[in-house]
């Protein structure tokens, strides 16, 4: 897996430093940090991270509004909430905003590392499976025809039109 570029969003300089150290020690590349909405927009626009860790309490706004702004810039950027606040309403709203994961403070380094690796592997795994789909489908189809007709049909043309499969 390629090195994951991360931006940390938190209103506490202490928490940013803790997360930066924790993420760096676990092999991630921290490329930026932000503590308010304007900084979030600026750093995400300029740095194009793979993932953003998001605190819920941000001066003048909240983690949800920041997440919406991040997804306006690039909907493919993954957001993982790292916050001491956790209740059913936050989780429900986070799911609606396509947040990729949730870690509660104080953060366990191993837990956060596993969460980020899972979130990023999902994207890579989907791409890999998407690339393999056509050849696997073709092989399965040929096997079915072979079993039914005892012949091996020849495929003369292929199309990878992006439609539901």
């Amino acid at each position: 897996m390629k090195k994951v570029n991360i931006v940390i969003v938190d209103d506490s300089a202490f928490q940013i430093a803790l997360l930066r150290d924790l993420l760096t020690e676990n092999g991630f590349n921290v490329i930026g940090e932000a503590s308010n909405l304007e900084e979030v927009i600026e750093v995400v626009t300029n740095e194009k991270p793979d993932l953003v860790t998001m605190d819920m309490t941000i001066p003048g706004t909240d983690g949800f509004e920041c997440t919406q702004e991040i997804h306006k810039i690039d909907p493919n950027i993954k957001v993982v909430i790292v916050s001491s606040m956790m209740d059913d309403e936050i989780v429900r709203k986070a799911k609606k905003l396509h947040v990729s994961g949730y870690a509660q403070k104080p953060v366990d380094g191993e837990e956060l590392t596993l969460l980020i690796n899972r979130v990023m592997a999902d994207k890579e795994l989907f791409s890999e499976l998407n690339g393999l789909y056509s050849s696997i489908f073709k092989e399965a189809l040929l096997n079915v025809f072979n079993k039914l007709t005892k012949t091996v049909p020849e495929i003369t043309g292929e199309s990878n039109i992006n439609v539901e499969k």
Side-chain angles (χ1 to χ4, degrees):
M1 183 163 29
K2 72 175 187 113
K3 197 156 189 163
V4 179
N5 293 323
I6 298 177
V7 167
I8 300 168
V9 179
D10 202 300
D11 63 330
S12 164
F14 178 72
Q15 282 295 327
I16 288 174
L18 280 175
L19 277 173
R20 185 185 323 105
D21 291 346
L22 186 147
L23 292 168
T24 304
E25 287 171 8
N26 286 292
F28 299 108
N29 189 23
V30 177
I31 59 172
E33 53 194 53
S35 58
N36 60 51
L37 181 58
E38 294 76 25
E39 289 176 4
V40 169
I41 293 169
E42 182 181 338
V43 75
V44 168
T45 301
N46 294 336
E47 299 297 333
K48 304 285 189 231
D50 301 308
L51 185 136
V52 175
T53 64
M54 179 68 61
D55 187 20
M56 290 308 299
T57 55
I58 307 293
T61 186
D62 62 21
F64 294 130
E65 186 177 355
C66 290
T67 298
Q68 288 174 317
E69 291 301 318
I70 289 167
H71 286 149
K72 283 180 188 174
I73 296 165
D74 183 350
N76 296 316
I77 295 174
K78 305 293 184 189
V79 177
V80 171
I81 294 175
V82 178
S83 180
S84 57
M85 298 170 43
M86 183 169 174
D87 62 34
D88 291 340
E89 183 61 30
I90 289 174
V91 172
R92 197 170 20 263
K93 194 167 182 182
K95 285 181 182 178
K96 285 183 183 178
L97 292 176
H98 305 290
V99 169
S100 299
Y102 195 103
Q104 191 163 12
K105 291 178 185 173
V107 179
D108 175 74
E110 189 174 324
E111 177 186 336
L112 184 59
T113 299
L114 288 171
L115 175 61
I116 292 171
N117 284 332
R118 182 190 53 80
V119 166
M120 297 312 295
D122 286 350
K123 184 178 176 182
E124 287 183 15
L125 183 59
F126 177 79
S127 295
E128 185 177 337
L129 290 175
N130 200 27
L132 293 173
Y133 175 81
S134 181
S135 62
I136 292 171
F137 179 78
K138 183 170 62 173
E139 184 179 332
L141 187 63
L142 291 174
N143 284 340
V144 167
F145 273 102
N146 188 1
K147 286 179 183 176
L148 292 175
T149 64
K150 302 294 185 215
T151 61
V152 179
E154 181 181 332
I155 295 178
T156 57
E158 288 184 45
S159 174
N160 251 352
I161 298 171
N162 190 13
V163 294
E164 282 189 35
K165 298 172 182 165

